[in-house]
Amino acid sequence: MPEKFDHEMGLLNEDIWNMGVLSQKMLLLAVESLKNRDKDLADKVLGMKEELYDYDQHIEEHTLKVLILYQPVAKEMRNLACILKMITYLTRIGRYGYDISKVTLELADQPLVKKLIDIPNMAKIVAGMLDDVLKAWETEDLSLIEDFTERDDVLDEERYSIFRECLTYVMEDPKTITRCMHYVMVARYLERCGDHCCKIAEKVVYKVEGKHVEIS
Amino acid sequence: MVFGFLSSGNNKKGKERKKLHDSSGNNGKRSSNDIILKDINIFYSGKQAIKDVDMTIPEKKVTAFIGPSGCGKSTLLRNINRMNDEIVGCTYDGEILWQGTDILEKKVDPVALRRRIGMVFQKPNPFPKTIFDNIAYGPKLLGIRNKKKLKEIVEKSLRDAALWNEVKDRLNDSAMGLSGGQQQRLCIARALAVEPDVILMDEPCSALDPIATAKIEDLINELKKEYTVVIVTHNMQQASRISDFTGFMYLGELIEFGKTRQIFENPKEDLTERYITGRFG
């Protein structure tokens, strides 16, 4: 039984990893499309949504199948519980990439209010968190997610900084309102992605140590 | 602990989540009705079968012993009501404290003890008598002759064993005509008839189909309201379904003992984890 179970888990783990990579890719490409006002790239991200949803559905079904057929316990059960939550958070992160791409399409014909620096920086932090939390999940090395609270705090500060900066642009020139509103929304999306990474990290701690913790 | 933010109360780095409630029902209180095993060693013809087992079996809870074949679960269970006294060559030392007495002391009458600590075996073993006589057998041995009283005992025992409705119209039929599951519940009723405080069960469902097993499991859940139940089982799902506490044994040693949820969700010992996940040997 363990061999068959291990085989199933191997497939599931691979799918989760690929789903994580896809979510991260959607987010990073979406921010790049916004930064470069690249409609083609934004369209490409929009096209990834179906694959993301397929992963979500397929992994959920596969996880339930493994739970039903093998009735795992201990760390094996904790890993499956972790996976069931992870796919929701990964779907939301990828979905924010989709939403940012929609913003790109809306703003692509207008000039940037200024060169985007903070938003790509936030995306970089989120991508790093996602990388580390997936590695922590795979390797069970919790030191990779030890500083998530601090990283999440940085994202919160960056979001607020973007908000204040946008306020100054709006006050100076009301024509920037639409663009600035979108920037504020994108910053909010990225901050939420950081929160989702923290939630995944909580589940990884549960998988590895069997403890329920709150991060951030 | 691998990293700092798991320590409770450290708000900067994160904190362990507060539990809304503790479903175990045992708040760490000790009772004189708990069965306390101290340094139990059991030998068969000098060969050690149980090594230095220490544990506390809580009152009115279901405690399960799990472990691979030959690990000593049944041997340990049998010592709790001195059934090992009947096995030639079996010797033991240590203490089992219950209700203020070391029940392993020679001055304790094993027969009287077994009335208080009853036992149900793997295979249903009804006497080749009527259903009524099976239940009334123990009380009669205890000197109860009053027919009305015996009837009351039989009905109460069969009700407690969730068998009354199925057999109330055929109490004078042979117990051998009952199904396997009914026979096992009859044996439980027979054990209950002498009003024990503790019921030991040695793989009580291993010879039963899933439906009969479910009935016994429901029954065990009911029994723990009034009795302390200790069960040996090979079926880990069964242990996780019905027990409040679980002990994992291996090669005569108690490797880990704890709340059932903890054992099956987050065992402390690697050996326990390997056993319950089927990665043993």
Side-chain angles (χ1 to χ4, degrees):
Chain A
M1 198 278 257
E3 271 181 34
K4 207 171 158 203
F5 177 81
D6 288 346
H7 174 69
E8 298 273 12
M9 286 309 298
L11 296 175
L12 255 179
N13 291 346
E14 200 180 320
D15 279 344
I16 275 282
W17 188 262
N18 290 338
M19 186 184 182
V21 169
L22 179 66
S23 297
Q24 188 192 53
K25 194 171 166 188
M26 286 176 75
L27 196 71
L28 285 174
L29 290 182
V31 170
E32 199 182 323
S33 75
L34 184 72
K35 185 180 158 192
N36 299 327
R37 294 187 296 153
D38 185 339
K39 282 184 178 180
D40 291 340
L41 193 56
D43 278 332
K44 192 177 164 189
V45 175
L46 297 183
M48 293 175 179
K49 191 180 83 170
E50 287 308 311
E51 193 185 354
L52 183 75
Y53 283 9
D54 284 347
Y55 269 121
D56 181 28
Q57 196 179 351
H58 172 72
I59 294 172
E60 183 179 331
E61 280 173 12
H62 195 178
T63 306
L64 292 175
K65 178 189 141 190
V66 172
L67 281 169
I68 292 162
L69 296 183
Y70 300 92
Q71 297 166 29
V73 291
K75 193 183 276 179
E76 291 166 355
M77 180 280 295
R78 301 201 304 267
N79 187 27
L80 289 165
C82 174
I83 286 172
L84 275 177
K85 296 293 278 188
M86 276 173 87
I87 53 175
T88 303
Y89 298 127
L90 291 175
T91 303
R92 285 181 186 164
I93 291 170
R95 174 72 203 216
Y96 279 128
Y98 177 91
D99 291 339
I100 294 169
S101 296
K102 287 257 187 181
V103 172
T104 301
L105 294 178
E106 211 157 303
L107 301 185
D109 295 329
Q110 302 174 52
L112 294 168
V113 172
K114 56 159 272 192
K115 189 183 176 195
L116 296 184
I117 296 169
D118 289 340
I119 285 177
N121 193 39
M122 283 182 82
K124 199 174 155 192
I125 293 170
V126 171
M129 289 174 83
L130 196 48
D131 247 346
D132 285 342
V133 80
L134 286 170
K135 278 182 199 153
W137 166 74
E138 192 185 36
T139 63
E140 300 185 2
D141 177 2
L142 296 183
S143 67
L144 289 164
I145 54 174
E146 195 173 14
D147 62 348
F148 264 35
T149 304
E150 285 81 2
R151 288 201 240 179
D152 194 47
D153 287 345
V154 172
L155 285 174
D156 288 347
E157 282 160 20
E158 291 245 17
R159 181 189 70 83
Y160 191 54
S161 156
I162 289 167
F163 173 72
R164 278 177 300 160
E165 195 182 352
C166 283
L167 270 186
T168 61
Y169 287 119
V170 166
M171 282 191 288
E172 278 171 20
D173 179 6
K175 285 179 193 157
T176 63
I177 287 177
T178 303
R179 280 168 287 167
C180 283
M181 287 288 282
H182 279 301
Y183 295 151
V184 168
M185 284 305 293
V186 168
R188 170 74 181 147
Y189 295 161
L190 291 168
E191 185 238 319
R192 288 298 298 146
C193 288
D195 292 342
H196 291 320
C197 289
C198 289
K199 297 305 282 182
I200 295 174
E202 289 174 2
K203 300 301 158 197
V204 171
V205 173
Y206 176 67
K207 175 198 166 183
V208 177
E209 296 198 330
K211 289 175 183 166
H212 294 282
V213 297
E214 280 179 17
I215 297 174
S216 181
Chain B
M1 193 169 294
V2 176
F3 58 103
F5 74 66
L6 295 182
S7 56
S8 56
N10 188 344
N11 290 329
K12 185 169 176 275
K13 298 248 180 177
K15 60 187 181 223
E16 216 162 324
R17 196 174 301 158
K18 193 179 164 190
K19 282 184 183 168
L20 294 178
H21 61 87
D22 182 354
S23 61
S24 72
N26 180 296
N27 299 315
K29 289 176 191 163
R30 283 275 175 92
S31 153
S32 68
N33 290 323
D34 292 348
I35 305 168
I36 302 164
L37 283 70
K38 286 186 175 175
D39 293 325
I40 297 294
N41 291 284
I42 305 177
F43 305 84
Y44 289 120
S45 304
K47 193 181 171 199
Q48 191 156 11
I50 295 292
K51 293 173 198 163
D52 298 323
V53 169
D54 282 288
M55 71 192 302
T56 298
I57 297 169
E59 178 196 15
K60 292 185 181 175
K61 299 280 174 212
V62 179
T63 298
F65 293 163
I66 59 170
S69 297
C71 71
K73 314 178 286 286
S74 297
T75 300
L76 186 64
L77 187 81
R78 281 199 303 270
N79 235 47
I80 298 174
N81 72 346
R82 302 265 302 266
M83 288 290 278
N84 284 334
D85 290 15
E86 313 302 322
I87 298 173
V88 178
C90 183
T91 55
Y92 50 80
D93 56 54
E95 290 179 355
I96 298 182
L97 300 175
W98 184 56
Q99 299 186 340
T101 306
D102 175 8
I103 60 178
L104 297 186
E105 276 186 13
K106 294 295 171 200
K107 68 180 182 188
V108 173
D109 174 12
V111 177
L113 179 71
R114 286 172 207 147
R115 189 186 76 71
R116 309 280 307 282
I117 305 181
M119 193 154 188
V120 175
F121 298 90
Q122 185 173 359
K123 269 191 165 181
N125 54 353
F127 303 139
K129 291 171 175 289
T130 65
I131 294 168
F132 186 94
D133 286 343
N134 262 273
I135 311 296
Y137 194 85
K140 278 182 185 170
L141 277 181
L142 291 173
I144 299 171
R145 293 281 178 257
N146 182 309
K147 283 189 180 170
K148 193 179 164 212
K149 177 73 181 163
L150 283 173
K151 272 185 184 174
E152 281 173 11
I153 291 172
V154 168
E155 179 172 343
K156 184 180 185 307
S157 304
L158 287 169
R159 280 189 190 280
D160 285 353
L163 190 58
W164 175 250
N165 287 336
E166 292 165 57
V167 300
K168 65 183 175 190
D169 298 325
R170 47 176 177 145
L171 292 176
N172 292 318
D173 289 0
S174 168
M176 308 310 280
L178 296 173
S179 70
Q182 287 173 327
Q183 285 187 7
Q184 193 63 305
R185 278 181 284 149
L186 181 80
C187 293
I188 293 171
R190 194 173 62 193
L192 299 180
V194 291
E195 297 183 326
D197 299 297
V198 181
I199 302 170
L200 310 177
M201 297 183 168
D202 193 353
E203 296 186 49
C205 301
S206 62
L208 306 181
D209 66 29
I211 295 165
T213 297
K215 284 186 180 172
I216 300 278
E217 288 181 2
D218 287 344
L219 172 58
I220 290 170
N221 200 36
E222 282 298 310
L223 289 177
K224 75 173 180 182
K225 291 174 187 164
E226 287 185 57
Y227 307 92
T228 302
V229 179
V230 190
I231 181 170
V232 162
T233 178
H234 264 126
N235 182 336
M236 278 180 288
Q237 274 83 30
Q238 181 172 65
S240 63
R241 280 193 300 265
I242 64 172
S243 69
D244 302 295
F245 293 85
T246 297
F248 167 61
M249 297 187 64
Y250 182 61
L251 297 178
E253 290 182 61
L254 182 68
I255 303 297
E256 188 168 354
F257 181 71
K259 288 180 182 170
T260 296
R261 176 168 174 180
Q262 178 257 311
I263 295 287
F264 285 93
E265 185 184 22
N266 193 15
K268 291 187 178 74
E269 300 296 328
D270 182 52
L271 208 55
T272 314
E273 172 129 8
R274 284 198 282 134
Y275 179 71
I276 62 175
T277 56
R279 294 167 194 282
F280 215 67

